[in-house]
Amino acid sequence: MKVVRLLPSFATCLLALAACTPANVKPGARVPTALKAGQSWVVTRPVVAAQVLDTCSRDSPAKHADGIGGYWAPSRAQIDELESRLPQLQPAIAEPAQSGRQYVGFVSAGRQLIYINAFTLPDHQKINPAREAVRVCDGGAGFWGAVYDPRSGTFSDIARNGGF
């Protein structure tokens, strides 16, 4: 009798969990350090953050002598706010929300900023953007970067791998 009573509760829990899974996440996919499921990852390990900022085919804050004064971890609210503002990058970046994105919190001139490393990788790629830097030399306009200032809500230093 108890099993019959638990079964509907168990089924309800499973349905609730299934409803929380974002539609754009492949079944079984896990992003261990992601603050957000889907196409965006916050890089929190300083060594990986430094690799993300070590761009090959475009400018980044790391290419300037006083560009990086340290690293910090952006909050979920800051990333949600940044992502709600991605359309501001148009027309310089066509459909910025369609790119995979790594976010690195860094300090420059005493200000906490967020670097966006954006990329388009094939589905079969074995890189885990939550744990390793996505670094592509050349690659074209599908690879771009920008700096976001959470205090002002603005983007700057937009650069693509390839000409504008």
Side-chain angles (χ1 to χ4, degrees):
M1 200 69 154
K2 286 185 181 180
V3 173
V4 174
R5 288 183 191 163
L6 291 177
L7 192 54
S9 295
F10 181 71
T12 302
C13 288
L14 283 177
L15 286 173
L17 285 174
C20 292
T21 304
N24 64 343
V25 175
K26 295 177 187 172
R30 290 181 15 155
V31 183
T33 60
L35 289 183
K36 205 171 157 108
Q39 294 186 330
S40 61
W41 297 269
V42 174
V43 176
T44 57
R45 292 178 49 217
V47 81
V48 178
Q51 291 169 353
V52 168
L53 285 159
D54 183 22
T55 57
C56 179
S57 298
R58 66 176 181 261
D59 194 21
S60 79
K63 296 199 180 232
H64 303 273
D66 59 348
I68 307 291
Y71 298 100
W72 62 283
S75 70
R76 173 179 224 132
Q78 288 169 315
I79 296 302
D80 287 345
E81 183 67 24
L82 180 160
E83 290 193 339
S84 76
R85 295 174 186 265
L86 284 173
Q88 291 177 10
L89 292 167
Q90 294 174 322
I93 303 296
E95 300 187 48
Q98 296 303 309
S99 299
R101 297 171 303 282
Q102 289 178 309
Y103 298 120
V104 173
F106 71 99
V107 178
S108 180
R111 294 184 352 219
Q112 289 187 327
L113 303 170
I114 301 171
Y115 184 72
I116 306 166
N117 181 41
F119 48 87
T120 304
L121 296 176
D123 286 339
H124 65 278
Q125 190 70 359
K126 296 191 184 213
I127 291 177
N128 179 350
R131 299 200 179 271
E132 23 185 340
V134 177
R135 188 170 181 262
V136 174
C137 295
D138 299 320
F143 299 87
W144 56 272
V147 173
Y148 176 75
D149 184 342
R151 202 168 1 154
S152 68
T154 59
F155 296 94
S156 62
D157 304 318
I158 302 165
R160 295 189 310 193
N161 291 18
F164 272 96

